[in-house]
Amino acid sequence: MPLTPPPRQRARTVVRLCGELTSSRAPHIRRRLLRAFARAPSVMEVDLGKVTYLAPAASALLLAAAAAARRSGTRFVITRASARSVRVLRELGMQRLMDEPLVPDR
């Protein structure tokens, strides 16, 4: 099932993720992202402030969500990411899909 957002209905939706985002949690993360897209926001924010580990499967979901947001005209931002998470996401090419700079939380 692809991540495809419906027409916009809401200004901003925030998805707060926490803990270890491992491959076993990927289905849960996917459901959270799909629910956020169902709200059809103009801006979709993913808050990684409480994430302690970002596995490749979770990173790939964030990349897919950013690509889907771009296709639909939804602004996609990641906030409060650790330096390690930012490094992983940059290596995957996330910055080119972002609407704001991908910088680590200070």
Side-chain angles (χ1 to χ4, degrees):
M1 177 181 202
L3 289 170
T4 306
R8 259 183 287 312
Q9 297 172 351
R10 184 176 259 193
R12 183 179 202 93
T13 295
V14 179
V15 177
R16 288 183 177 83
L17 300 174
C18 62
E20 293 186 357
L21 304 185
T22 61
S23 58
S24 65
R25 290 197 54 211
H28 170 73
I29 297 164
R30 182 180 178 79
R31 283 190 301 274
R32 300 257 333 258
L33 292 170
L34 286 170
R35 278 197 308 268
F37 274 129
R39 295 181 183 131
S42 295
V43 178
M44 182 156 161
E45 175 185 338
V46 178
D47 180 341
L48 300 180
K50 294 186 179 182
V51 170
T52 57
Y53 175 73
L54 185 62
S59 300
L61 283 173
L62 293 176
L63 195 64
R70 178 158 289 241
R71 284 191 305 273
S72 71
T74 299
R75 293 184 67 231
F76 188 86
V77 296
I78 290 178
T79 58
R80 299 179 359 131
S82 69
R84 179 176 283 178
S85 294
V86 167
R87 190 170 40 253
V88 168
L89 293 170
R90 281 184 180 158
E91 287 174 7
L92 290 173
M94 177 67 90
Q95 186 60 60
R96 65 185 169 76
L97 297 171
M98 301 284 297
D99 290 300
E100 293 181 10
L102 184 58
V103 295
D105 188 34
R106 296 171 212 262

